[in-house]
Amino acid sequence: MLSGVKSTKSFRWLIIISLFVTQLDSGIISTNLSSMTRELMLSAMQKGWVVSIYTIGLLLASQLWEI
């Protein structure tokens, strides 16, 4: 029984850390999108792909938690 409690606490910390990293990554992408667009000379469509691919990656990673 005690190992189940320890496992649950570890899982909660893992979720908390992953949410923090996800939010940190989102902040980095949204903050730097304008400079990335300027430096890489991205069109509006390419800029949309940057955000879309990142969002799809988050979606797929979140589905792994369900397994």
Side-chain angles (χ1 to χ4, degrees):
M1 174 106 171
L2 191 55
S3 68
V5 172
K6 186 176 181 181
S7 176
T8 303
K9 285 184 180 182
S10 297
F11 184 71
R12 284 183 186 164
W13 276 110
L14 183 64
I15 294 294
I16 290 170
I17 291 170
S18 66
L19 289 173
F20 172 75
V21 170
T22 302
Q23 293 302 315
L24 182 66
D25 287 347
S26 297
I28 291 170
I29 292 292
S30 64
T31 305
N32 290 322
L33 193 56
S34 62
S35 62
M36 286 172 27
T37 302
R38 185 176 53 251
E39 292 293 321
L40 299 173
M41 293 181 265
L42 299 176
S43 67
M45 182 185 284
Q46 291 170 326
K47 187 167 57 168
W49 274 102
V50 169
V51 174
S52 298
I53 289 172
Y54 181 75
T55 305
I56 290 170
L58 286 176
L59 175 68
L60 293 175
S62 68
Q63 294 302 314
L64 291 176
W65 293 110
E66 301 289 325
I67 295 176

